[in-house]
Amino acid sequence: MAIEKKYLKSKKKFKVTFTLSAEESGGATSAALVGEFTRWMDGALPMQRDKQGNFRAVVELPGGRRYAFRYLLDGSRWENDWKADAYRYCPFAAADNSILDLTEIPS
C-alpha cells in the first residue's frame, strides 16, 4: 500500500495517488476507493488494475483538512491502508478508518 501526495500550486489542491498491490488486495478482482471525498458511496471511485494486478486511483483534493477512507475489495471486503497517516475509530462501522492528512500545505 502506498499513498503519494503532490501539491499542485496552480490548482491549490493535492494530487493523491493511492496504490494497493496485488498481494495486499488478497487476490481481489476489483477495488474501489471509498471515503469522505466520495460521500462513502460504495464503488464511487473504482481503482484501475494494472497488468501486475495492482490497483491504483488518483484524486485531487483540497488541502487544509484530513479525510477518512477505506478500500472496498470485490464489493464486500473493507480494508484500511496500513501506510495511512493515522486511523480514526468509526462507531457506524465499528472499525477504524484510514486517515489521509492534507493539513500541511507547502509554501
Side-chain angles (χ1 to χ4, degrees), residues 46-64:
M47 299 179 80
Q48 300 301 311
R49 191 173 186 186
D50 65 21
K51 292 178 183 178
Q52 291 77 33
N54 304 316
F55 292 97
R56 183 169 287 119
V58 179
V59 295
E60 288 185 11
L61 297 168

Side-chain angles (χ1 to χ4, degrees), residues 2 8-10 21 24 31-32 51 59 65 69 91:
L8 307 172
K9 275 189 171 183
S10 62
S21 75
E24 293 163 333
K51 292 178 183 178
V59 295
R65 63 170 290 191
F69 73 95

Side-chain angles (χ1 to χ4, degrees), residues 89-102:
Y89 184 76
C90 173
F92 176 76
D96 285 335
N97 286 329
S98 300
I99 301 297
L100 172 67
D101 187 346
L102 299 179

Side-chain angles (χ1 to χ4, degrees), residues 10-86:
S10 62
K11 294 185 178 185
K12 297 185 179 177
K13 291 184 176 186
F14 283 88
K15 179 180 176 182
V16 185
T17 303
F18 296 85
T19 304
L20 181 64
S21 75
E23 183 180 3
E24 293 163 333
S25 75
T29 58
S30 68
L33 178 61
V34 183
E36 292 176 325
F37 42 84
T38 67
R39 293 191 171 98
W40 291 103
M41 293 174 28
D42 296 359
L45 188 56
M47 299 179 80
Q48 300 301 311
R49 191 173 186 186
D50 65 21
K51 292 178 183 178
Q52 291 77 33
N54 304 316
F55 292 97
R56 183 169 287 119
V58 179
V59 295
E60 288 185 11
L61 297 168
R65 63 170 290 191
R66 295 173 185 227
Y67 297 90
F69 73 95
R70 294 185 91 188
Y71 300 111
L72 180 59
L73 306 176
D74 291 333
S76 62
R77 186 170 41 119
W78 291 96
E79 289 291 333
N80 278 321
D81 190 312
W82 299 115
K83 293 187 180 172
D85 296 318

